[in-house]
Amino acid sequence: MIIGALQRFTLSDFPEKPAAIIFFQGCNFRCPFCHNGSLLPMRPESPPVPVADIMNFLEKKRGRLGGVVLSGGEPTLQNNLEKFIERIKSMNYAVKLDTNGSRPEIIAKLIQNNLLDYIAMDIKAPPGKYATLCGTEIDYSAIRHSIKIISAGNVPHHFRTTFVPSLLSRDDLKNIRSSLPANTLYTVQQFRKENALVSGL
Ligand code: SF4
């Protein structure tokens, strides 16, 4: 379990809940538009945030913060994620997972064990452009599988795409939308050039 950073307060990352955000260290993608470059290597450059500090903080904020967002990096790459979430939930926090969807078996297990209250999954691109938008070759069937698991489960969720005009077209967005179940929530967020992993996009 390696935590790169803690954001102590947000009103915009957990639907209808004031929340804290835990940024896990390490990601298996290299999306050119990523704004969290320092969180991508599995080993951080600066010392990680101790788990005990996170737990102490959450203990103090009990009753004032309603939720905890697990973000990153890619949270599902972390060892002992289940145990970590169990500790957070034992303090009566709702837990939201932000994920790139590359590890469907972990997502399925977390849902099955009632450890998640909300899921936001990135859909980087239509299948043919996935490698470009996530910066590495991946097994697209894992993405498809995660979409299926999340859509079929009873955890509130949404799918989202960062729209990078130089890499995606409006037709790409339509293709992504049509690959998702009709009644599912899908949002598109605008790409911001500042601090992107790849400059000049
Ligand atoms: S999935 Fe992409 S955007 Fe998210 S942390 Fe990893 S590299 Fe960054």
Side-chain angles (χ1 to χ4, degrees), residues 27 29-31 33-36 40 72-74 100 122 124:
C27 189
F29 286 8
R30 290 292 179 274
C31 309
F33 54 86
C34 181
H35 287 111
N36 291 338
L40 303 190
E74 173 50 39
N100 63 22
D122 295 338
K124 306 291 182 188

